Amino acid sequence: MGKKQETDQEKPEYGDPAQFDPSFNGPIKKRGCTDIICCILFMAVVVGYIGVGALAWLYGDPRHVLYPRNSTGWFCGIGPNKGKSNLFYYNILKCATSVNVMATALNGFQCPTTQVCVEKCPAEFMAVGILDYSKKPAAVFDQKLCVPSLDLAKTKMSVHEIVDKELCPFFFTPTTSLLGRCLPDFTTLEKIPEEFSNIPGLPSSVNATVNIIKNGTGDIVNGFNAREIGLRIFEDFASSWPWILLGLVIAMVVSMLFLLLLRFTAPVMVWVLIVGVLGAGAYGIWHCYWEYDNYKKASATISDVGFTTNFNVYLQTQETWLAFLIIISVAEAIILLTIIFLRNRILIAIALIQESSKAVGHMMSSLLYPLVTFVLLLVCVAYWGATALYLATSGNPIYRVVALNSTMSDCKSLNGTVDCDPQKFNSSDYPECPSASCIFIKYNDEGLFQRNLFNLQIYNAVAFLWCVNFVIALGQCTLAGAFASYYWAFTKPHDIPMFPLSASFLRALRFHVGSLAFGSLILTLVQIVRIILEYIDHKTRSAQNPVARFLLCCLKCCFWCLEKFIKFLNRNAYIMIAVYGKNFCVSAKNAFKLLMRNIIRVVVLDKVTDLLLFFGKLLVVGGVAVLSFFFFSGRILLPGDTFRSETLNYYWMPIITVVFGSYLIAHGFFSVYNMCVDTLFLCFLEDLERNDGSLQKPYFMSKNLMKILSKSNKAPKKGKKE
């Protein structure tokens, strides 16, 4: 009775420790398929995703985004309008005053006036005066700006008839090309000639004309200006992409060198890393103090400057550099104190990195696996982007009869409600309204496929998130299986199986697609909730009261923490799946209990290792970022005219691209080490629970790890090669 009571009191809170299994020597070979239902569901979603992409490809047309359309629906710049890449609007006042204006990213800028494709946008003022009505059309109009079906030299129509039917523009102001649309140039409107006040069809006041154009098309021009900025950024990428690629290659080489050096000299590299971070902080403190001292005599202060988008103005004030000096000094002190207090734990982390370096050294192909993950993720992103684009451009163009000269009383009934075919349209069918024309209005959104475009876009986004999370999970499980086979090899490297990475990859695909999809689905659902919360916050930000804002902020914070926890749990569950071949729920439960039984070791060892690897990322990314800044800002000049920073519109965009790309590259390479450390650590905990160092149950860990924990095998491992 007493013995039973003692056993009950000693029962662990988070389950019993792993028991010794004499047949266990690494990842289980004989295993079966896990989480089959989730596997079938994932396959069904992927097949449906392929179907959505096929439908989008059949119905979509990306040319709607890339090229503007004229009144008859032809694209400018291609086909019969090749060489005419700009769209010109005859009566811009109708675009400014019509309720049918559609200024959207997909449908372009449509309004009830004739639109033709031209080579260049007009850059001068032009108006048809009363005296011009008696002249021949060829002497009044420019053939390049008239509709292609009209030949000014052969036409028998008068100037008045041409104006009524809007076959040629009766006035225009200087325009500028914005994304292929000829829109008013506001800088020249103040120079509009006074004779514009005597033009039939225009306001009697020149100022009224200017105000209508400015007020009606201002938002449109601003919107296209934003897109024009995007085009300028694209031009920067087009001219600097070789150098951006070179920066990314440098980041990859530096990351590889860092890991290779870490393999041979882990203790030295880690301490050099720490000293480097402290040195960078010390340099930042000195530089901020130097700038602070230089601006002592400056009269400008932050209060004098106020709010401005020109960041360089703030860099010329003493208070800015003082703030930088305080922030960097505090950060430097925190890092220094952390290193002092955790110096013993850092030594343990170094030993884990050394053991991981040995594992990676025996499986160098693992360093290339992030490229596989990157390619798969690139395929997912490209497929999602292409599907979203094709879905957004689905639908056939709709043409309707519109009275271009709506001032005539007989034309008011033609308000864009009658469908028409631009190839068969004949204005003589509407004798009461000579200006009737078949105008492109919008794209069809009334079909079954078009009515469900929003739902298909939602499906596209959800399937994309699930596929991305699955690819990441597949990479983690593959690396975990490979590194576990290293740890559980009794005699290293002799007992390490052939091609451990390929074998682990094939095991994951053959047996555990369902488990990986299950874990990915849970993470995807949490991410969807976070996206919905962000959407609600964005849409209701102006109407929120403090209580609602606080509750929404709490929800966002809770789900952010939940996402981090699920990622951590999934990561360790995939390690257990790779080793033991159990389903997701059992693996997650076993991993969680194992970690909770060793919570102090988990927090100290695992997180200190993560911190050291994160510092490595900072050094790699920081070095490449500084190099790219000096290069793209023109402070490092190349011989000749190979590249000139003055040609860039925004030199900071290539810098941001290089920095972001360098971080992704460094993250990919360091993630291999991180996964190796996590896997070896989990196997190490299992080893401690399963074995005791006796002859029957020897430890599988290396002598270095046994030395750290003051452990040893009572009998030496015969034939072990260190």
Side-chain angles (χ1 to χ4, degrees):
M1 184 70 180
K3 187 175 181 180
K4 182 179 179 181
Q5 184 177 1
E6 181 181 353
T7 304
D8 293 339
Q9 290 175 352
E10 293 178 356
K11 187 176 181 179
E13 181 180 358
Y14 294 101
D16 296 323
Q19 300 299 317
F20 173 72
D21 183 1
S23 64
F24 179 77
N25 60 351
I28 302 297
K29 300 296 187 299
K30 296 181 180 180
R31 57 178 73 194
C33 296
T34 56
D35 296 304
I36 299 177
I37 295 178
C38 199
C39 177
I40 296 174
L41 178 61
F42 180 69
M43 292 300 180
V45 170
V46 171
V47 171
Y49 199 16
I50 295 174
V52 170
L55 288 175
W57 185 80
L58 289 175
Y59 289 96
D61 189 353
R63 293 181 301 174
H64 298 174
V65 177
L66 301 176
Y67 305 102
R69 280 178 180 261
N70 62 13
S71 298
T72 58
W74 290 102
F75 293 107
C76 295
I78 58 175
N81 293 315
K82 187 175 182 180
K84 301 178 180 179
S85 57
N86 297 300
L87 185 65
F88 175 64
Y89 302 89
Y90 277 9
N91 190 347
I92 196 66
L93 297 182
K94 291 185 178 180
C95 303
T97 58
S98 173
V99 296
N100 294 323
V101 171
M102 293 178 292
T104 66
L106 298 177
N107 290 344
F109 173 39
Q110 301 298 331
C111 58
T113 186
T114 302
Q115 302 145 46
V116 296
C117 300
V118 296
E119 294 182 15
K120 296 181 180 180
C121 294
E124 67 279 349
F125 291 97
M126 179 271 182
V128 179
I130 297 178
L131 299 179
D132 294 324
Y133 280 80
S134 60
K135 299 179 182 179
K136 293 184 177 181
V140 177
F141 303 109
D142 185 352
Q143 180 67 59
K144 295 180 180 179
L145 300 180
C146 295
V147 296
S149 60
L150 177 66
D151 188 345
L152 293 177
K154 299 180 180 180
T155 184
K156 296 181 180 180
M157 288 188 292
S158 64
V159 172
H160 191 276
E161 291 175 323
I162 293 175
V163 170
D164 283 344
K165 294 184 178 182
E166 274 201 17
L167 301 178
C168 294
F170 76 96
F171 92 100
F172 53 79
T173 63
T175 57
T176 181
S177 178
L178 294 177
L179 289 179
R181 277 85 173 176
C182 298
L183 296 179
D185 184 359
F186 288 169
T187 61
T188 63
L189 289 182
E190 302 300 331
K191 303 176 183 178
I192 189 170
E194 286 295 331
E195 52 265 27
F196 266 58
S197 59
N198 299 320
I199 302 301
L202 293 181
S204 58
S205 169
V206 170
N207 292 333
T209 302
V210 172
N211 290 335
I212 291 175
I213 295 176
K214 282 188 175 182
N215 296 335
T217 62
D219 292 338
I220 299 172
V221 172
N222 291 336
F224 279 109
N225 278 334
R227 296 173 66 182
E228 182 75 7
I229 292 175
L231 280 184
R232 291 179 181 176
I233 293 175
F234 180 79
E235 291 174 358
D236 289 344
F237 284 136
S239 62
S240 62
W241 71 265
W243 306 104
I244 294 176
L245 187 61
L246 178 62
L248 298 180
V249 170
I250 292 175
M252 184 177 66
V253 172
V254 171
S255 299
M256 287 284 290
L257 289 176
F258 186 89
L259 294 181
L260 291 176
L261 291 175
L262 196 64
R263 174 192 172 191
F264 298 107
T265 57
V268 176
M269 288 298 298
V270 169
W271 288 112
V272 167
L273 172 65
I274 294 173
V275 172
V277 172
L278 293 176
Y283 171 78
I285 293 173
W286 174 83
H287 183 77
C288 291
Y289 177 77
W290 181 72
E291 294 284 359
Y292 171 79
D293 189 63
N294 287 340
Y295 286 105
K296 271 188 176 180
K297 298 180 180 180
S299 58
T301 61
I302 291 291
S303 58
D304 296 332
V305 173
F307 176 77
T308 177
T309 56
N310 187 2
F311 187 71
N312 291 326
V313 176
Y314 293 110
L315 296 180
Q316 298 174 6
T317 60
Q318 190 180 28
E319 290 90 340
T320 300
W321 293 105
L322 178 61
F324 287 161
L325 178 63
I326 295 173
I327 293 173
I328 297 178
S329 299
V330 171
E332 181 84 351
I334 292 174
I335 294 174
L336 184 60
L337 291 174
T338 302
I339 293 172
I340 292 174
F341 285 109
L342 296 179
R343 60 188 183 276
N344 291 331
R345 301 302 183 185
I346 290 174
L347 294 176
I348 299 175
I350 290 174
L352 282 173
I353 292 178
Q354 282 183 300
E355 191 63 25
S356 300
S357 300
K358 292 180 182 179
V360 174
H362 291 298
M363 293 177 284
M364 290 295 291
S365 59
S366 62
L367 291 176
L368 300 179
Y369 189 82
L371 296 179
V372 177
T373 301
F374 175 76
V375 171
L376 294 177
L377 290 177
L378 190 63
V379 170
C380 292
V381 173
Y383 187 83
W384 166 78
T387 303
L389 178 61
Y390 274 86
L391 285 175
T393 56
S394 298
N396 295 321
I398 293 178
Y399 302 88
R400 288 175 181 166
V401 180
V402 175
L404 301 179
N405 189 357
S406 57
T407 57
M408 301 177 63
S409 58
D410 294 335
C411 295
K412 293 183 179 180
S413 59
L414 299 178
N415 55 3
T417 58
V418 180
D419 294 334
C420 61
D421 185 348
Q423 306 298 329
K424 301 179 181 179
F425 179 78
N426 190 346
S427 59
S428 60
D429 295 337
Y430 301 89
E432 72 282 358
C433 185
S435 65
S437 181
C438 188
I439 296 294
F440 164 69
I441 299 296
K442 63 176 182 177
Y443 299 102
N444 181 29
D445 57 358
E446 298 177 355
L448 177 62
F449 180 75
Q450 284 72 27
R451 287 199 305 268
N452 290 279
L453 283 180
F454 179 76
N455 297 330
L456 293 176
Q457 289 284 21
I458 295 295
Y459 185 91
N460 182 29
V462 173
F464 165 71
L465 288 176
W466 197 357
C467 290
V468 166
N469 289 325
F470 176 82
V471 169
I472 296 174
L474 177 62
Q476 292 175 345
C477 189
T478 299
L479 291 173
F483 293 130
S485 65
Y486 165 83
Y487 185 92
W488 295 110
F490 191 78
T491 304
K492 302 177 178 67
H494 182 266
D495 290 343
I496 299 176
M498 293 291 291
F499 308 110
L501 191 67
S502 301
S504 179
F505 180 77
L506 294 177
R507 278 198 306 269
L509 285 181
R510 182 180 177 183
F511 299 109
H512 305 303
V513 170
S515 297
L516 300 179
F518 192 6
S520 304
L521 177 60
I522 296 173
L523 182 59
T524 300
L525 294 176
V526 176
Q527 291 173 339
I528 291 173
V529 173
R530 289 194 63 202
I531 293 173
I532 294 174
L533 289 176
E534 291 291 345
Y535 177 79
I536 294 174
D537 184 31
H538 176 73
K539 287 296 183 180
T540 61
R541 185 167 298 172
S542 58
Q544 287 178 8
N545 56 42
V547 176
R549 193 179 303 114
F550 173 76
L551 292 176
L552 195 57
C553 183
C554 290
L555 285 174
K556 290 165 61 177
C557 180
C558 291
F559 277 96
W560 179 84
C561 295
L562 180 60
E563 181 182 1
K564 294 297 180 182
F565 173 74
I566 290 177
K567 285 182 177 180
F568 173 77
L569 187 61
N570 284 2
R571 184 184 183 90
N572 290 280
Y574 299 146
I575 296 174
M576 302 298 280
I577 290 172
V579 177
Y580 298 106
K582 303 284 181 67
N583 62 47
F584 177 80
C585 292
V586 172
S587 299
K589 180 191 70 174
N590 292 339
F592 180 74
K593 289 184 176 181
L594 178 62
L595 294 174
M596 292 303 296
R597 290 196 297 268
N598 301 271
I599 187 63
I600 298 178
R601 285 173 176 161
V602 171
V603 173
V604 176
L605 297 181
D606 194 43
K607 295 310 171 185
V608 168
T609 305
D610 289 344
L611 184 62
L612 292 177
L613 294 179
F614 177 71
F615 280 166
K617 294 179 192 177
L618 288 182
L619 280 184
V620 173
V621 176
V624 176
V626 170
L627 180 63
S628 62
F629 170 76
F630 280 99
F631 177 75
F632 288 111
S633 63
R635 303 189 184 189
I636 296 179
L637 300 178
L638 295 176
D641 293 331
T642 307
F643 177 79
R644 297 180 62 85
S645 61
E646 294 84 358
T647 60
L648 298 176
N649 297 299
Y650 310 104
Y651 73 86
W652 43 266
M653 281 307 299
I655 296 175
I656 293 176
T657 304
V658 171
V659 171
F660 183 71
S662 300
Y663 177 79
L664 292 180
I665 291 173
H667 176 74
F669 283 102
F670 279 85
S671 65
V672 174
Y673 258 72
N674 208 356
M675 196 68 201
C676 185
V677 172
D678 289 346
T679 302
L680 297 186
F681 181 59
L682 213 60
C683 294
F684 161 73
L685 296 179
E686 284 271 321
D687 194 9
L688 286 176
E689 292 187 353
R690 286 178 176 273
N691 306 308
D692 57 8
S694 63
L695 183 62
Q696 295 78 17
K697 297 188 289 185
Y699 291 118
F700 280 77
M701 69 184 76
S702 66
K703 289 182 178 180
N704 195 19
L705 281 173
M706 285 191 285
K707 182 179 178 181
I708 293 172
L709 298 170
S710 300
K711 302 284 185 180
S712 64
N713 281 329
K714 292 183 174 59
K717 298 179 183 179
K718 296 181 180 181
K720 180 179 177 181
K721 298 178 182 179
E722 287 290 344

